[in-house]
Amino acid sequence: MSGADALQFVASGLQNGAIYALMALGFTLVFASTGIINFAQGEFFMLGGMLVAAGVAAGVPLGACVIGAVAMTAAIGCLVERLALRPARSAGGLALVIITIGCSMLIKSGARHLFGPDERAVPPFTAGQPLRVAGALIDPQALWVIGLAVAAAAALTAVYRFTKVGLAMRACSISHDAARIVGIDTARVVMLAFGLAGALGALAGAAVAPVTQTAYDVGARMGLKGFAAALLGGLGDPVGAIVGGFALGLLESGAVAFVSGTYKDAVALVVLLAVLVLRPQGIVGRHLGEKL
């Protein structure tokens, strides 16, 4: 393999890894604040792409479509928490997880009826030819994907570490009872976590739609990969989610380069099984065993 080929695979891995990192951050935020896995996260990804495609088809400027899709999906994430999960919060973790699966099916079915069964195309954020770097061709949209993922991760990390909202979210991730004793509105924090998870998923879906197109049924596969990335990095740890996302993207590219593209999608399943058996706490996580 030449150096240009290797760089091409690395660039592809970083692009996919950026998407997986955004998805993994969504899983991590919800898990850290509730202790459950939100299986509707993949549908937030789907909504991001489909809402942008619908807006563009209606003649709305692309930038406004992306911002609107992220905001609308964040609102839907809040509604999922407020209308479906909060009334059943005393039912136990397994029941809540099943409710998220039901929400996923409902959102997917609604999208099919609203947008139709066909694939939708979204124009690239920046027109132009691919950039040639050391012999490798880098699509401008790939730079958008990576840049948006890095910016979102940096902003979320800043909120998580340096604001009162972030402090409340960290307190809820340790103990809801203790957080309530010191005056934190835990219900509002959980709803905020779902809203942010929706925004991150929609941003990932909107950013990658110009590369892969989008459809009502793209959420499940991306949800699985985002979950694998979150587990690989350490579920509940934002830094681990970013590390896991990029690691999974590079592992997939490695599989394509050295084995076959046929097995690319199987990498996430292999990672899931390997992490659960060998290191359930992930690369940087420490408390997964206790939470589960």
Side-chain angles (χ1 to χ4, degrees), residues 9 48 52 56 72 95 114 131 136 149 152 160 164 175 250 273 280 287:
F9 282 115
V52 170
V56 169
M72 291 174 67
L114 182 63
L131 307 174
Y160 209 67
K164 290 184 178 179
S175 169
L250 291 172
L273 294 174
H287 302 297

Side-chain angles (χ1 to χ4, degrees), residues 101-124:
I101 295 174
C103 290
S104 171
M105 297 171 67
L106 181 64
I107 294 172
K108 181 178 178 180
S109 177
R112 188 184 189 284
H113 285 88
L114 182 63
F115 302 115
D118 300 327
E119 287 192 342
R120 299 289 191 95
V122 173

Side-chain angles (χ1 to χ4, degrees), residues 52 62 66 122-127 141 144 148 206-208 210:
V52 170
L62 180 58
V66 174
V122 173
F125 293 0
T126 303
Q141 189 64 29
W144 272 106
L148 287 172
V208 81

Side-chain angles (χ1 to χ4, degrees), residues 35-261:
I36 68 168
I37 306 300
N38 172 28
F39 283 103
Q41 184 66 29
E43 306 312 325
F44 296 157
F45 170 88
M46 175 274 295
L47 283 175
M50 292 300 284
L51 287 170
V52 170
V56 169
V60 180
L62 180 58
C65 290
V66 174
I67 295 172
V70 171
M72 291 174 67
T73 309
I76 291 172
C78 292
L79 288 175
V80 167
E81 190 281 331
R82 183 64 185 86
L83 301 180
L85 291 168
R86 193 181 301 184
R89 60 184 172 185
S90 61
L94 180 59
L96 296 178
V97 170
I98 292 173
I99 288 174
T100 68
I101 295 174
C103 290
S104 171
M105 297 171 67
L106 181 64
I107 294 172
K108 181 178 178 180
S109 177
R112 188 184 189 284
H113 285 88
L114 182 63
F115 302 115
D118 300 327
E119 287 192 342
R120 299 289 191 95
V122 173
F125 293 0
T126 303
Q129 297 298 316
L131 307 174
R132 184 172 291 277
V133 179
L137 294 176
I138 311 296
D139 192 292
Q141 189 64 29
L143 300 179
W144 272 106
V145 171
I146 296 171
L148 287 172
V150 171
L156 188 62
T157 301
V159 169
Y160 209 67
R161 293 187 177 181
F162 304 119
T163 68
K164 290 184 178 179
V165 172
L167 182 63
M169 295 178 75
R170 282 186 283 149
C172 288
S173 72
I174 297 171
S175 169
H176 274 216
D177 291 336
R180 277 193 289 267
I181 289 174
V182 298
I184 294 174
D185 186 343
T186 56
R188 181 172 295 181
V189 171
V190 172
M191 187 168 71
L192 177 62
F194 270 84
L196 287 173
L200 290 167
L203 183 63
V208 81
V211 180
T212 62
Q213 297 192 341
T214 187
Y216 78 95
D217 59 352
V218 300
R221 187 178 66 169
M222 191 55 66
L224 173 64
K225 294 190 176 185
F227 179 50
L231 206 59
L232 176 61
L235 197 54
D237 189 315
V239 175
I242 298 166
V243 172
F246 282 105
L248 180 60
L250 291 172
L251 283 172
E252 282 190 347
S253 280
V256 173
F258 297 108
V259 185
S260 169

